Amino acid sequence: TQLLEQSPQFLSIQEGENLTVYCNSSSVFSSLQWYRQEPGEGPVLLVTVVTGGEVKKLKRLTFQFGDARKDSSLHITAAQTGDTGLYLCAGEGRGDYKLSFGAGTTVTVRA
Amino acid sequence: EAQVTQNPRYLITVTGKKLTVTCSQNMNHEYMSWYRQDPGLGLRQIYYSMNVEATDKGDVPEGYKVSRKEKRNFPLILESPSPNQTSLYFCASSLSAGVSYEQYFGPGTRLTVT
């Protein structure tokens, strides 16, 4: 199993502020996904990035896959209370379909 | 509505008492999977199934069994639960294996083994 480390573990910000969460590994991944999980629910896929250096935008969320395909970041601009949740990254190893998940970053956006 | 359902949502049981957590999907997905989620450890795959009658071990299969007799159902069986199996369990399904196919998660089953 390939290890994915997410930082920070917890993040609390005021509505309107920006935030960035990170997902790092010593392993190379063929692709990487970001999920958001709300209390009492299962994770929901936000994005999949497959190319080193790739940047994808989803409204106020910007996702980047590192050039070396070992790391990724999620940036939220002008956070809203609806962005509150647990953000998980998951990497697919080369040559197999197995997903390795990070432990997640709990984001709280205060009104 | 396309969804993955799990039952029960909450379960408290005692050590050694066999239990089954059911999982069903209505999207005609071939690939199904079970995960457990523990604080600080993220989601870890227990078992997965590529199709009917095709199951395989994930990263943490010890103490669990699964079966896939029908495409839509993928029950998780704990023959003799122990306290270290206290966890939040998620079933997931996708059209096929791999990140090219979005994985849909159920709402979770919170299991406590005393």
Side-chain angles (χ1 to χ4, degrees), chain B residues 55-90:
Chain B
T55 63
D56 212 342
K57 296 177 181 179
D59 296 319
V60 288
E62 294 77 22
Y64 305 94
K65 283 174 57 177
V66 293
S67 68
R68 187 93 182 273
K69 292 185 171 58
E70 306 164 283
K71 201 171 191 178
R72 64 183 295 128
N73 296 323
F74 190 43
L76 179 69
I77 303 152
L78 284 71
E79 295 267 2
S80 183
S82 61
N84 65 11
Q85 293 178 299
T86 292
S87 188
L88 181 57
Y89 291 86
F90 288 100

PDB file of all heavy atoms in Angstrom, chain B residues 55-90:
ATOM      1  N   THR B  55     -14.255 -12.264  -6.395  1.00  0.00           N
ATOM      2  CA  THR B  55     -13.894 -11.403  -5.272  1.00  0.00           C
ATOM      3  C   THR B  55     -12.403 -11.565  -4.981  1.00  0.00           C
ATOM      4  O   THR B  55     -11.814 -12.603  -5.274  1.00  0.00           O
ATOM      5  CB  THR B  55     -14.703 -11.747  -4.015  1.00  0.00           C
ATOM      6  OG1 THR B  55     -14.387 -13.086  -3.610  1.00  0.00           O
ATOM      7  CG2 THR B  55     -16.196 -11.631  -4.277  1.00  0.00           C
ATOM      8  N   ASP B  56     -11.825 -10.533  -4.371  1.00  0.00           N
ATOM      9  CA  ASP B  56     -10.402 -10.592  -4.049  1.00  0.00           C
ATOM     10  C   ASP B  56     -10.113  -9.732  -2.838  1.00  0.00           C
ATOM     11  O   ASP B  56     -10.867  -8.804  -2.503  1.00  0.00           O
ATOM     12  CB  ASP B  56      -9.556 -10.125  -5.226  1.00  0.00           C
ATOM     13  CG  ASP B  56      -8.217 -10.847  -5.279  1.00  0.00           C
ATOM     14  OD1 ASP B  56      -7.802 -11.432  -4.243  1.00  0.00           O
ATOM     15  OD2 ASP B  56      -7.570 -10.833  -6.338  1.00  0.00           O
ATOM     16  N   LYS B  57      -9.013 -10.065  -2.164  1.00  0.00           N
ATOM     17  CA  LYS B  57      -8.637  -9.368  -0.938  1.00  0.00           C
ATOM     18  C   LYS B  57      -8.101  -7.981  -1.236  1.00  0.00           C
ATOM     19  O   LYS B  57      -7.381  -7.776  -2.209  1.00  0.00           O
ATOM     20  CB  LYS B  57      -7.565 -10.171  -0.189  1.00  0.00           C
ATOM     21  CG  LYS B  57      -8.041 -11.519   0.304  1.00  0.00           C
ATOM     22  CD  LYS B  57      -6.905 -12.293   0.961  1.00  0.00           C
ATOM     23  CE  LYS B  57      -7.401 -13.646   1.437  1.00  0.00           C
ATOM     24  NZ  LYS B  57      -6.306 -14.429   2.057  1.00  0.00           N
ATOM     25  N   GLY B  58      -8.445  -7.057  -0.339  1.00  0.00           N
ATOM     26  CA  GLY B  58      -7.856  -5.741  -0.382  1.00  0.00           C
ATOM     27  C   GLY B  58      -6.671  -5.678   0.563  1.00  0.00           C
ATOM     28  O   GLY B  58      -5.953  -6.665   0.730  1.00  0.00           O
ATOM     29  N   ASP B  59      -6.511  -4.554   1.233  1.00  0.00           N
ATOM     30  CA  ASP B  59      -5.357  -4.357   2.105  1.00  0.00           C
ATOM     31  C   ASP B  59      -5.553  -4.917   3.511  1.00  0.00           C
ATOM     32  O   ASP B  59      -4.588  -5.268   4.179  1.00  0.00           O
ATOM     33  CB  ASP B  59      -5.039  -2.859   2.208  1.00  0.00           C
ATOM     34  CG  ASP B  59      -4.622  -2.286   0.879  1.00  0.00           C
ATOM     35  OD1 ASP B  59      -3.857  -2.961   0.155  1.00  0.00           O
ATOM     36  OD2 ASP B  59      -5.072  -1.175   0.537  1.00  0.00           O
ATOM     37  N   VAL B  60      -6.786  -4.998   3.980  1.00  0.00           N
ATOM     38  CA  VAL B  60      -7.055  -5.439   5.357  1.00  0.00           C
ATOM     39  C   VAL B  60      -8.182  -6.466   5.394  1.00  0.00           C
ATOM     40  O   VAL B  60      -9.216  -6.250   6.008  1.00  0.00           O
ATOM     41  CB  VAL B  60      -7.361  -4.237   6.279  1.00  0.00           C
ATOM     42  CG1 VAL B  60      -6.120  -3.425   6.554  1.00  0.00           C
ATOM     43  CG2 VAL B  60      -8.460  -3.356   5.686  1.00  0.00           C
ATOM     44  N   PRO B  61      -8.006  -7.652   4.796  1.00  0.00           N
ATOM     45  CA  PRO B  61      -9.101  -8.611   4.697  1.00  0.00           C
ATOM     46  C   PRO B  61      -9.307  -9.518   5.915  1.00  0.00           C
ATOM     47  O   PRO B  61     -10.346 -10.183   6.023  1.00  0.00           O
ATOM     48  CB  PRO B  61      -8.663  -9.470   3.505  1.00  0.00           C
ATOM     49  CG  PRO B  61      -7.165  -9.464   3.587  1.00  0.00           C
ATOM     50  CD  PRO B  61      -6.807  -8.080   4.087  1.00  0.00           C
ATOM     51  N   GLU B  62      -8.335  -9.520   6.848  1.00  0.00           N
ATOM     52  CA  GLU B  62      -8.403 -10.483   7.951  1.00  0.00           C
ATOM     53  C   GLU B  62      -9.643 -10.257   8.799  1.00  0.00           C
ATOM     54  O   GLU B  62      -9.917  -9.145   9.250  1.00  0.00           O
ATOM     55  CB  GLU B  62      -7.155 -10.372   8.837  1.00  0.00           C
ATOM     56  CG  GLU B  62      -5.856 -10.783   8.150  1.00  0.00           C
ATOM     57  CD  GLU B  62      -5.343  -9.714   7.206  1.00  0.00           C
ATOM     58  OE1 GLU B  62      -5.711  -8.536   7.375  1.00  0.00           O
ATOM     59  OE2 GLU B  62      -4.583 -10.056   6.281  1.00  0.00           O
ATOM     60  N   GLY B  63     -10.393 -11.323   9.047  1.00  0.00           N
ATOM     61  CA  GLY B  63     -11.587 -11.257   9.885  1.00  0.00           C
ATOM     62  C   GLY B  63     -12.856 -10.961   9.128  1.00  0.00           C
ATOM     63  O   GLY B  63     -13.930 -10.848   9.737  1.00  0.00           O
ATOM     64  N   TYR B  64     -12.761 -10.821   7.815  1.00  0.00           N
ATOM     65  CA  TYR B  64     -13.924 -10.494   6.995  1.00  0.00           C
ATOM     66  C   TYR B  64     -14.114 -11.529   5.890  1.00  0.00           C
ATOM     67  O   TYR B  64     -13.169 -12.148   5.442  1.00  0.00           O
ATOM     68  CB  TYR B  64     -13.760  -9.118   6.342  1.00  0.00           C
ATOM     69  CG  TYR B  64     -13.494  -7.982   7.293  1.00  0.00           C
ATOM     70  CD1 TYR B  64     -12.185  -7.581   7.573  1.00  0.00           C
ATOM     71  CD2 TYR B  64     -14.536  -7.311   7.913  1.00  0.00           C
ATOM     72  CE1 TYR B  64     -11.926  -6.546   8.446  1.00  0.00           C
ATOM     73  CE2 TYR B  64     -14.283  -6.263   8.784  1.00  0.00           C
ATOM     74  CZ  TYR B  64     -12.969  -5.891   9.039  1.00  0.00           C
ATOM     75  OH  TYR B  64     -12.727  -4.863   9.909  1.00  0.00           O
ATOM     76  N   LYS B  65     -15.354 -11.668   5.462  1.00  0.00           N
ATOM     77  CA  LYS B  65     -15.681 -12.462   4.274  1.00  0.00           C
ATOM     78  C   LYS B  65     -16.654 -11.663   3.431  1.00  0.00           C
ATOM     79  O   LYS B  65     -17.379 -10.804   3.950  1.00  0.00           O
ATOM     80  CB  LYS B  65     -16.340 -13.794   4.669  1.00  0.00           C
ATOM     81  CG  LYS B  65     -15.386 -14.845   5.193  1.00  0.00           C
ATOM     82  CD  LYS B  65     -16.126 -16.070   5.684  1.00  0.00           C
ATOM     83  CE  LYS B  65     -17.023 -16.706   4.644  1.00  0.00           C
ATOM     84  NZ  LYS B  65     -17.678 -17.940   5.137  1.00  0.00           N
ATOM     85  N   VAL B  66     -16.673 -11.960   2.146  1.00  0.00           N
ATOM     86  CA  VAL B  66     -17.642 -11.331   1.246  1.00  0.00           C
ATOM     87  C   VAL B  66     -18.172 -12.379   0.291  1.00  0.00           C
ATOM     88  O   VAL B  66     -17.605 -13.472   0.167  1.00  0.00           O
ATOM     89  CB  VAL B  66     -17.023 -10.178   0.420  1.00  0.00           C
ATOM     90  CG1 VAL B  66     -16.639  -8.997   1.308  1.00  0.00           C
ATOM     91  CG2 VAL B  66     -15.836 -10.664  -0.381  1.00  0.00           C
ATOM     92  N   SER B  67     -19.253 -12.039  -0.378  1.00  0.00           N
ATOM     93  CA  SER B  67     -19.747 -12.886  -1.462  1.00  0.00           C
ATOM     94  C   SER B  67     -20.361 -11.991  -2.528  1.00  0.00           C
ATOM     95  O   SER B  67     -20.808 -10.874  -2.230  1.00  0.00           O
ATOM     96  CB  SER B  67     -20.773 -13.899  -0.956  1.00  0.00           C
ATOM     97  OG  SER B  67     -21.958 -13.246  -0.550  1.00  0.00           O
ATOM     98  N   ARG B  68     -20.391 -12.472  -3.751  1.00  0.00           N
ATOM     99  CA  ARG B  68     -21.001 -11.699  -4.846  1.00  0.00           C
ATOM    100  C   ARG B  68     -21.763 -12.684  -5.723  1.00  0.00           C
ATOM    101  O   ARG B  68     -21.300 -13.126  -6.769  1.00  0.00           O
ATOM    102  CB  ARG B  68     -19.914 -10.979  -5.648  1.00  0.00           C
ATOM    103  CG  ARG B  68     -20.471 -10.025  -6.701  1.00  0.00           C
ATOM    104  CD  ARG B  68     -20.613  -8.634  -6.187  1.00  0.00           C
ATOM    105  NE  ARG B  68     -21.192  -7.721  -7.157  1.00  0.00           N
ATOM    106  CZ  ARG B  68     -20.479  -7.050  -8.070  1.00  0.00           C
ATOM    107  NH1 ARG B  68     -19.174  -7.224  -8.158  1.00  0.00           N
ATOM    108  NH2 ARG B  68     -21.097  -6.226  -8.886  1.00  0.00           N
ATOM    109  N   LYS B  69     -22.954 -13.009  -5.263  1.00  0.00           N
ATOM    110  CA  LYS B  69     -23.781 -13.970  -6.002  1.00  0.00           C
ATOM    111  C   LYS B  69     -24.642 -13.279  -7.054  1.00  0.00           C
ATOM    112  O   LYS B  69     -25.082 -13.889  -8.033  1.00  0.00           O
ATOM    113  CB  LYS B  69     -24.654 -14.752  -5.033  1.00  0.00           C
ATOM    114  CG  LYS B  69     -23.865 -15.696  -4.123  1.00  0.00           C
ATOM    115  CD  LYS B  69     -24.784 -16.526  -3.260  1.00  0.00           C
ATOM    116  CE  LYS B  69     -24.048 -17.611  -2.509  1.00  0.00           C
ATOM    117  NZ  LYS B  69     -22.985 -17.082  -1.643  1.00  0.00           N
ATOM    118  N   GLU B  70     -24.937 -12.008  -6.806  1.00  0.00           N
ATOM    119  CA  GLU B  70     -25.718 -11.216  -7.761  1.00  0.00           C
ATOM    120  C   GLU B  70     -24.939  -9.927  -8.010  1.00  0.00           C
ATOM    121  O   GLU B  70     -24.200  -9.473  -7.151  1.00  0.00           O
ATOM    122  CB  GLU B  70     -27.078 -10.840  -7.183  1.00  0.00           C
ATOM    123  CG  GLU B  70     -27.903 -11.978  -6.686  1.00  0.00           C
ATOM    124  CD  GLU B  70     -29.023 -11.457  -5.791  1.00  0.00           C
ATOM    125  OE1 GLU B  70     -28.751 -11.109  -4.636  1.00  0.00           O
ATOM    126  OE2 GLU B  70     -30.164 -11.369  -6.276  1.00  0.00           O
ATOM    127  N   LYS B  71     -25.150  -9.344  -9.172  1.00  0.00           N
ATOM    128  CA  LYS B  71     -24.415  -8.144  -9.528  1.00  0.00           C
ATOM    129  C   LYS B  71     -24.687  -7.000  -8.556  1.00  0.00           C
ATOM    130  O   LYS B  71     -23.804  -6.217  -8.231  1.00  0.00           O
ATOM    131  CB  LYS B  71     -24.798  -7.722 -10.947  1.00  0.00           C
ATOM    132  CG  LYS B  71     -23.787  -6.823 -11.623  1.00  0.00           C
ATOM    133  CD  LYS B  71     -24.165  -6.666 -13.080  1.00  0.00           C
ATOM    134  CE  LYS B  71     -23.057  -6.012 -13.860  1.00  0.00           C
ATOM    135  NZ  LYS B  71     -23.383  -5.897 -15.297  1.00  0.00           N
ATOM    136  N   ARG B  72     -25.895  -6.853  -8.083  1.00  0.00           N
ATOM    137  CA  ARG B  72     -26.280  -5.685  -7.308  1.00  0.00           C
ATOM    138  C   ARG B  72     -25.872  -5.767  -5.838  1.00  0.00           C
ATOM    139  O   ARG B  72     -25.802  -4.763  -5.172  1.00  0.00           O
ATOM    140  CB  ARG B  72     -27.771  -5.434  -7.435  1.00  0.00           C
ATOM    141  CG  ARG B  72     -28.660  -6.533  -6.875  1.00  0.00           C
ATOM    142  CD  ARG B  72     -30.129  -6.211  -7.127  1.00  0.00           C
ATOM    143  NE  ARG B  72     -30.535  -5.031  -6.391  1.00  0.00           N
ATOM    144  CZ  ARG B  72     -31.138  -3.984  -6.950  1.00  0.00           C
ATOM    145  NH1 ARG B  72     -31.406  -3.974  -8.235  1.00  0.00           N
ATOM    146  NH2 ARG B  72     -31.493  -2.956  -6.215  1.00  0.00           N
ATOM    147  N   ASN B  73     -25.637  -6.976  -5.314  1.00  0.00           N
ATOM    148  CA  ASN B  73     -25.406  -7.124  -3.875  1.00  0.00           C
ATOM    149  C   ASN B  73     -23.987  -7.585  -3.548  1.00  0.00           C
ATOM    150  O   ASN B  73     -23.425  -8.455  -4.227  1.00  0.00           O
ATOM    151  CB  ASN B  73     -26.398  -8.130  -3.289  1.00  0.00           C
ATOM    152  CG  ASN B  73     -27.831  -7.651  -3.408  1.00  0.00           C
ATOM    153  OD1 ASN B  73     -28.109  -6.461  -3.266  1.00  0.00           O
ATOM    154  ND2 ASN B  73     -28.741  -8.569  -3.688  1.00  0.00           N
ATOM    155  N   PHE B  74     -23.462  -7.030  -2.466  1.00  0.00           N
ATOM    156  CA  PHE B  74     -22.087  -7.371  -2.058  1.00  0.00           C
ATOM    157  C   PHE B  74     -22.020  -7.313  -0.522  1.00  0.00           C
ATOM    158  O   PHE B  74     -21.512  -6.357   0.060  1.00  0.00           O
ATOM    159  CB  PHE B  74     -21.109  -6.384  -2.694  1.00  0.00           C
ATOM    160  CG  PHE B  74     -19.655  -6.749  -2.558  1.00  0.00           C
ATOM    161  CD1 PHE B  74     -19.220  -8.048  -2.751  1.00  0.00           C
ATOM    162  CD2 PHE B  74     -18.706  -5.772  -2.269  1.00  0.00           C
ATOM    163  CE1 PHE B  74     -17.875  -8.375  -2.653  1.00  0.00           C
ATOM    164  CE2 PHE B  74     -17.363  -6.088  -2.165  1.00  0.00           C
ATOM    165  CZ  PHE B  74     -16.945  -7.385  -2.355  1.00  0.00           C
ATOM    166  N   PRO B  75     -22.540  -8.326   0.161  1.00  0.00           N
ATOM    167  CA  PRO B  75     -22.559  -8.299   1.624  1.00  0.00           C
ATOM    168  C   PRO B  75     -21.181  -8.518   2.247  1.00  0.00           C
ATOM    169  O   PRO B  75     -20.359  -9.251   1.697  1.00  0.00           O
ATOM    170  CB  PRO B  75     -23.506  -9.452   1.974  1.00  0.00           C
ATOM    171  CG  PRO B  75     -23.422 -10.377   0.800  1.00  0.00           C
ATOM    172  CD  PRO B  75     -23.196  -9.516  -0.399  1.00  0.00           C
ATOM    173  N   LEU B  76     -20.984  -7.880   3.386  1.00  0.00           N
ATOM    174  CA  LEU B  76     -19.755  -8.031   4.177  1.00  0.00           C
ATOM    175  C   LEU B  76     -20.102  -8.841   5.419  1.00  0.00           C
ATOM    176  O   LEU B  76     -21.030  -8.481   6.146  1.00  0.00           O
ATOM    177  CB  LEU B  76     -19.217  -6.658   4.583  1.00  0.00           C
ATOM    178  CG  LEU B  76     -17.950  -6.642   5.439  1.00  0.00           C
ATOM    179  CD1 LEU B  76     -16.748  -7.109   4.620  1.00  0.00           C
ATOM    180  CD2 LEU B  76     -17.698  -5.241   5.996  1.00  0.00           C
ATOM    181  N   ILE B  77     -19.376  -9.915   5.636  1.00  0.00           N
ATOM    182  CA  ILE B  77     -19.668 -10.837   6.733  1.00  0.00           C
ATOM    183  C   ILE B  77     -18.517 -10.830   7.736  1.00  0.00           C
ATOM    184  O   ILE B  77     -17.354 -10.966   7.361  1.00  0.00           O
ATOM    185  CB  ILE B  77     -19.877 -12.268   6.187  1.00  0.00           C
ATOM    186  CG1 ILE B  77     -20.993 -12.263   5.140  1.00  0.00           C
ATOM    187  CG2 ILE B  77     -20.202 -13.243   7.324  1.00  0.00           C
ATOM    188  CD1 ILE B  77     -20.870 -13.342   4.102  1.00  0.00           C
ATOM    189  N   LEU B  78     -18.890 -10.660   9.004  1.00  0.00           N
ATOM    190  CA  LEU B  78     -17.924 -10.791  10.089  1.00  0.00           C
ATOM    191  C   LEU B  78     -18.324 -12.037  10.869  1.00  0.00           C
ATOM    192  O   LEU B  78     -19.321 -12.035  11.585  1.00  0.00           O
ATOM    193  CB  LEU B  78     -17.927  -9.556  10.992  1.00  0.00           C
ATOM    194  CG  LEU B  78     -17.222  -8.295  10.448  1.00  0.00           C
ATOM    195  CD1 LEU B  78     -18.013  -7.652   9.311  1.00  0.00           C
ATOM    196  CD2 LEU B  78     -16.964  -7.319  11.573  1.00  0.00           C
ATOM    197  N   GLU B  79     -17.575 -13.122  10.688  1.00  0.00           N
ATOM    198  CA  GLU B  79     -17.946 -14.403  11.292  1.00  0.00           C
ATOM    199  C   GLU B  79     -17.825 -14.352  12.819  1.00  0.00           C
ATOM    200  O   GLU B  79     -18.649 -14.903  13.534  1.00  0.00           O
ATOM    201  CB  GLU B  79     -17.035 -15.508  10.750  1.00  0.00           C
ATOM    202  CG  GLU B  79     -17.195 -15.781   9.270  1.00  0.00           C
ATOM    203  CD  GLU B  79     -18.196 -16.891   8.970  1.00  0.00           C
ATOM    204  OE1 GLU B  79     -18.795 -17.422   9.924  1.00  0.00           O
ATOM    205  OE2 GLU B  79     -18.391 -17.213   7.790  1.00  0.00           O
ATOM    206  N   SER B  80     -16.781 -13.726  13.304  1.00  0.00           N
ATOM    207  CA  SER B  80     -16.557 -13.636  14.749  1.00  0.00           C
ATOM    208  C   SER B  80     -15.962 -12.262  15.058  1.00  0.00           C
ATOM    209  O   SER B  80     -14.745 -12.124  15.223  1.00  0.00           O
ATOM    210  CB  SER B  80     -15.613 -14.765  15.200  1.00  0.00           C
ATOM    211  OG  SER B  80     -15.438 -14.723  16.599  1.00  0.00           O
ATOM    212  N   PRO B  81     -16.829 -11.249  15.137  1.00  0.00           N
ATOM    213  CA  PRO B  81     -16.331  -9.882  15.299  1.00  0.00           C
ATOM    214  C   PRO B  81     -15.503  -9.705  16.569  1.00  0.00           C
ATOM    215  O   PRO B  81     -15.780 -10.338  17.609  1.00  0.00           O
ATOM    216  CB  PRO B  81     -17.608  -9.042  15.370  1.00  0.00           C
ATOM    217  CG  PRO B  81     -18.675  -9.896  14.788  1.00  0.00           C
ATOM    218  CD  PRO B  81     -18.288 -11.310  15.073  1.00  0.00           C
ATOM    219  N   SER B  82     -14.516  -8.828  16.474  1.00  0.00           N
ATOM    220  CA  SER B  82     -13.695  -8.500  17.637  1.00  0.00           C
ATOM    221  C   SER B  82     -13.660  -6.970  17.785  1.00  0.00           C
ATOM    222  O   SER B  82     -13.957  -6.251  16.818  1.00  0.00           O
ATOM    223  CB  SER B  82     -12.275  -9.041  17.458  1.00  0.00           C
ATOM    224  OG  SER B  82     -11.675  -8.453  16.330  1.00  0.00           O
ATOM    225  N   PRO B  83     -13.312  -6.479  18.978  1.00  0.00           N
ATOM    226  CA  PRO B  83     -13.317  -5.032  19.207  1.00  0.00           C
ATOM    227  C   PRO B  83     -12.473  -4.244  18.205  1.00  0.00           C
ATOM    228  O   PRO B  83     -12.795  -3.084  17.904  1.00  0.00           O
ATOM    229  CB  PRO B  83     -12.769  -4.911  20.634  1.00  0.00           C
ATOM    230  CG  PRO B  83     -13.225  -6.170  21.292  1.00  0.00           C
ATOM    231  CD  PRO B  83     -13.074  -7.234  20.234  1.00  0.00           C
ATOM    232  N   ASN B  84     -11.404  -4.832  17.661  1.00  0.00           N
ATOM    233  CA  ASN B  84     -10.583  -4.087  16.700  1.00  0.00           C
ATOM    234  C   ASN B  84     -11.265  -3.935  15.338  1.00  0.00           C
ATOM    235  O   ASN B  84     -10.705  -3.306  14.421  1.00  0.00           O
ATOM    236  CB  ASN B  84      -9.179  -4.690  16.562  1.00  0.00           C
ATOM    237  CG  ASN B  84      -9.201  -6.081  15.960  1.00  0.00           C
ATOM    238  OD1 ASN B  84     -10.217  -6.549  15.450  1.00  0.00           O
ATOM    239  ND2 ASN B  84      -8.056  -6.758  15.998  1.00  0.00           N
ATOM    240  N   GLN B  85     -12.455  -4.494  15.194  1.00  0.00           N
ATOM    241  CA  GLN B  85     -13.241  -4.280  13.981  1.00  0.00           C
ATOM    242  C   GLN B  85     -14.280  -3.170  14.154  1.00  0.00           C
ATOM    243  O   GLN B  85     -15.068  -2.912  13.240  1.00  0.00           O
ATOM    244  CB  GLN B  85     -13.905  -5.583  13.536  1.00  0.00           C
ATOM    245  CG  GLN B  85     -12.876  -6.620  13.070  1.00  0.00           C
ATOM    246  CD  GLN B  85     -13.502  -7.932  12.671  1.00  0.00           C
ATOM    247  OE1 GLN B  85     -14.139  -8.601  13.495  1.00  0.00           O
ATOM    248  NE2 GLN B  85     -13.318  -8.309  11.416  1.00  0.00           N
ATOM    249  N   THR B  86     -14.251  -2.546  15.319  1.00  0.00           N
ATOM    250  CA  THR B  86     -15.057  -1.340  15.517  1.00  0.00           C
ATOM    251  C   THR B  86     -14.566  -0.277  14.556  1.00  0.00           C
ATOM    252  O   THR B  86     -13.378   0.073  14.554  1.00  0.00           O
ATOM    253  CB  THR B  86     -14.933  -0.848  16.966  1.00  0.00           C
ATOM    254  OG1 THR B  86     -15.571  -1.795  17.828  1.00  0.00           O
ATOM    255  CG2 THR B  86     -15.572   0.525  17.142  1.00  0.00           C
ATOM    256  N   SER B  87     -15.470   0.203  13.694  1.00  0.00           N
ATOM    257  CA  SER B  87     -15.040   1.109  12.640  1.00  0.00           C
ATOM    258  C   SER B  87     -16.256   1.632  11.885  1.00  0.00           C
ATOM    259  O   SER B  87     -17.395   1.240  12.150  1.00  0.00           O
ATOM    260  CB  SER B  87     -14.112   0.368  11.664  1.00  0.00           C
ATOM    261  OG  SER B  87     -13.526   1.251  10.721  1.00  0.00           O
ATOM    262  N   LEU B  88     -15.992   2.526  10.933  1.00  0.00           N
ATOM    263  CA  LEU B  88     -17.002   3.013  10.007  1.00  0.00           C
ATOM    264  C   LEU B  88     -16.753   2.320   8.672  1.00  0.00           C
ATOM    265  O   LEU B  88     -15.655   2.422   8.124  1.00  0.00           O
ATOM    266  CB  LEU B  88     -16.902   4.526   9.875  1.00  0.00           C
ATOM    267  CG  LEU B  88     -17.887   5.244   8.957  1.00  0.00           C
ATOM    268  CD1 LEU B  88     -19.327   4.952   9.360  1.00  0.00           C
ATOM    269  CD2 LEU B  88     -17.626   6.756   8.997  1.00  0.00           C
ATOM    270  N   TYR B  89     -17.756   1.625   8.165  1.00  0.00           N
ATOM    271  CA  TYR B  89     -17.592   0.826   6.961  1.00  0.00           C
ATOM    272  C   TYR B  89     -18.351   1.449   5.796  1.00  0.00           C
ATOM    273  O   TYR B  89     -19.488   1.873   5.930  1.00  0.00           O
ATOM    274  CB  TYR B  89     -18.115  -0.600   7.194  1.00  0.00           C
ATOM    275  CG  TYR B  89     -17.269  -1.382   8.150  1.00  0.00           C
ATOM    276  CD1 TYR B  89     -17.465  -1.306   9.524  1.00  0.00           C
ATOM    277  CD2 TYR B  89     -16.238  -2.188   7.685  1.00  0.00           C
ATOM    278  CE1 TYR B  89     -16.666  -2.007  10.406  1.00  0.00           C
ATOM    279  CE2 TYR B  89     -15.432  -2.913   8.550  1.00  0.00           C
ATOM    280  CZ  TYR B  89     -15.651  -2.805   9.912  1.00  0.00           C
ATOM    281  OH  TYR B  89     -14.850  -3.512  10.782  1.00  0.00           O
ATOM    282  N   PHE B  90     -17.688   1.454   4.637  1.00  0.00           N
ATOM    283  CA  PHE B  90     -18.302   1.982   3.420  1.00  0.00           C
ATOM    284  C   PHE B  90     -18.252   0.944   2.313  1.00  0.00           C
ATOM    285  O   PHE B  90     -17.226   0.315   2.069  1.00  0.00           O
ATOM    286  CB  PHE B  90     -17.586   3.237   2.931  1.00  0.00           C
ATOM    287  CG  PHE B  90     -17.821   4.433   3.782  1.00  0.00           C
ATOM    288  CD1 PHE B  90     -16.873   4.827   4.715  1.00  0.00           C
ATOM    289  CD2 PHE B  90     -19.000   5.157   3.668  1.00  0.00           C
ATOM    290  CE1 PHE B  90     -17.098   5.943   5.522  1.00  0.00           C
ATOM    291  CE2 PHE B  90     -19.230   6.276   4.458  1.00  0.00           C
ATOM    292  CZ  PHE B  90     -18.278   6.664   5.394  1.00  0.00           C
TER     293      PHE B  90
END
